[in-house]
Structures are given as C-alpha cells and as structure tokens.
Amino acid sequence: MNAKTDAIAVFDSGVGGISVLRQLCRLMPGETMLYLGDSANAPYGTRPAAEIRQLSLNVAEKLVARGVKALVVACNTATAAAIDVLRQTYPDLIVVGIEPALKPAADRFPGGTIGVLATPVTLQEEKFQQLVAHYGGLCTVVKLPAPGLSELVERGKGDSGEAEALLRPLLAPWAGKLDALVLGCTHYPFAAATIRRILGDKVLLLDGGEGTARETKRRLVQAGLLNETQGKIIIENSLDDPMLLELSHKLLEG
Ligand code: DGL
C-alpha cells in the first residue's frame, strides 16, 4: 500500500534526468524525490533495445524496493525501449515516462519544420514513429540523432567547444530553417547554450520535462497521493564518483 509520504523515484542513464527532476521539484515542492542516475551504464542511447530494457528493469527494481509511490522514467531512450515492460512489471505503481515534446511543438507550429534532437535509439524505436504519426501531422519532422552528446554532458561539458564541434555539422545546415527544436534526450537541455550558438535565438527549444512533471502530478492527485508537506531531494548514482553527485547538484541548481 502506497502512502503520501513515500518518495517519487526518478531515473535516467546518468545526470540528464536532473533536467526532469528540476521540473518535478518546481511543480511538487512538498514531495520527497529519490533520483538514481545510472552513469555506470551510460550511455543507453546507442545500446540494443533489449539491453536498455534490462538496465531499466534493474534500476527500477532497486528503486521500487525502497518503497516508492511512483516511478518517473526521466530518460527518453528508456521510455522508448522499456516503458511497456516496466508497466507490466509494476502494474500497481504510477509509472510515467518522458517522451520527445513533439505534440507541443506541432501545436505551436502547424505546418512548420520541427527538428528532434535525440539518441539514435529514441529516433529508431516504434514509440517515436507513433508520436510522429499522431502529432507530426502537417509538420515536417527532421530527425537529428546526436550520439556522443550525452557523454559530454556526463562530463559537465554540455556548454563547451567539444559540444559545439559535435553539434555544428549536424545543426548548422538547419540554422534559420527550423521553427522548433525538440530536445528529445534529457541530457540535452544542459547543452542549450551550445545549441543556441549554432541555431540562433529565434528557434524555439522544447523539452518534455515540464509535461512529464505535470503528468506525474496529475496521476498523484488522481490517486490521492500528492504530498504537500516537506520536500526533500535525494540524489544517488550507480557510479561511485563524487564528481557525478557534485555535477548533479550543480545541474539541479542550474
Ligand atoms: N538521457 C537519455 C535520454 O533522455 C539518454 C542518454 C544516453 O544515451 O544515455 O534519452
């Protein structure tokens, strides 16, 4: 039986999900958040889907064993590969997964050109094809896989010359041509300054963090489990490296 005071578990392949944690804390300041970054196994986004499913199940098992009332998959890649199996494994738990924010982008720019920057797995998986079929509508959706970028963010280099060198060949051809760029990986909001240097100020950058936080709150309210008392944030990582915890807190305060 879940209690209001139980924590909300949040996980990602590493520090990227902190961009979602930020939104969760903003929207639900009274909750206890238990964040687990699986940096020991990062990146997820270039692995076979079956491996990502197993890694996600392993992380979820550890978190659920701590007696949490909800599980937030703060990783687009893990949602794409593993959300179904996670829901089957924990049918009584609130399980919410982040997805690329294609719907808000398409609503905002009907007939527009929308880039989606994400991991190769997210862009290949069936879930993304379904999103495009549902919400892509009249828009032109440009898939922009960015392998290597999440690794730079893991090293605190989202805003760096290295990130710019990686992104410029991919994004510069689209400068002035995109109405919106969906940041379809939770690590990428931490590279927003680099992306802006390449694409300029006009393009709208969107990510799914806020929508995921809203959906989590809606599900908790519906279940009578929203805690509005004293919030607390616990951040852990599967890699025993104090630098990663330091980076996580820095990104959270952002
Ligand atoms: N943060 C993850 C996502 O949202 C992926 C990063 C990785 O490749 O591990 O897709």
Side-chain angles (χ1 to χ4, degrees):
M1 198 51 189
N2 291 120
K4 271 191 184 186
T5 49
D6 290 345
I8 298 174
V10 185
F11 85 90
D12 176 47
S13 61
V15 301
I18 299 285
S19 64
V20 182
L21 181 66
R22 222 160 43 177
Q23 302 291 347
L24 288 161
C25 294
R26 213 167 274 165
L27 198 63
M28 293 174 281
E31 295 287 353
T32 296
M33 305 286 176
L34 172 58
Y35 182 91
L36 180 53
D38 191 17
S39 297
N41 294 299
Y44 280 14
T46 45
R47 289 177 184 272
E51 232 171 271
I52 300 165
R53 270 192 284 282
Q54 194 50 56
L55 291 169
S56 303
L57 282 168
N58 296 348
V59 172
E61 192 182 359
K62 280 189 203 132
L63 289 167
V64 172
R66 311 261 293 262
V68 300
K69 63 181 176 184
L71 178 69
V72 177
V73 182
C75 174
N76 294 264
T77 307
T79 299
I83 197 78
D84 295 337
V85 71
L86 288 169
R87 291 201 171 115
Q88 282 155 20
T89 310
Y90 302 105
D92 299 325
L93 190 69
I94 294 172
V95 179
V96 177
I98 191 166
E99 283 189 306
L102 191 58
K103 182 182 184 301
D107 284 350
R108 182 82 186 263
F109 299 105
T113 303
I114 296 163
V116 183
L117 192 68
T119 68
V121 168
T122 297
L123 296 173
Q124 276 155 24
E125 280 294 299
E126 179 59 27
K127 281 258 178 297
F128 185 69
Q129 317 319 322
Q130 287 168 2
L131 261 188
V132 174
H134 255 90
Y135 303 116
L138 303 171
C139 300
T140 303
V141 176
V142 183
K143 295 186 197 179
L144 299 163
L149 184 57
S150 71
E151 288 95 312
L152 289 176
V153 174
E154 285 288 301
R155 287 162 40 211
K157 293 188 161 186
D159 183 13
S160 68
E162 276 169 78
E164 189 165 338
L166 185 146
L167 284 171
R168 194 164 278 286
L170 183 69
L171 295 181
W174 293 98
K177 296 183 186 145
L178 297 177
D179 296 297
L181 180 69
V182 173
L183 305 181
C185 167
T186 55
H187 282 72
Y188 299 172
F190 300 119
T194 306
I195 293 167
R196 285 243 171 262
R197 270 202 299 283
I198 303 167
L199 289 180
D201 286 337
K202 282 205 190 119
V203 63
L204 181 70
L205 301 184
L206 283 167
D207 69 77
E210 201 189 325
T212 303
R214 264 191 274 114
E215 175 61 8
T216 306
K217 183 174 181 183
R218 190 188 70 77
R219 296 284 304 277
L220 288 168
V221 169
Q222 194 181 47
L225 286 174
L226 187 74
N227 186 3
E228 292 176 297
T229 54
Q230 179 83 61
K232 187 171 150 196
I233 303 168
I234 304 159
I235 298 180
E236 299 178 358
N237 199 290
S238 59
L239 203 62
D240 185 17
D241 179 352
M243 286 293 288
L244 276 168
L245 293 180
E246 204 179 294
L247 174 63
S248 300
H249 285 281
K250 199 173 121 202
L251 294 176
L252 182 64
E253 269 128 48

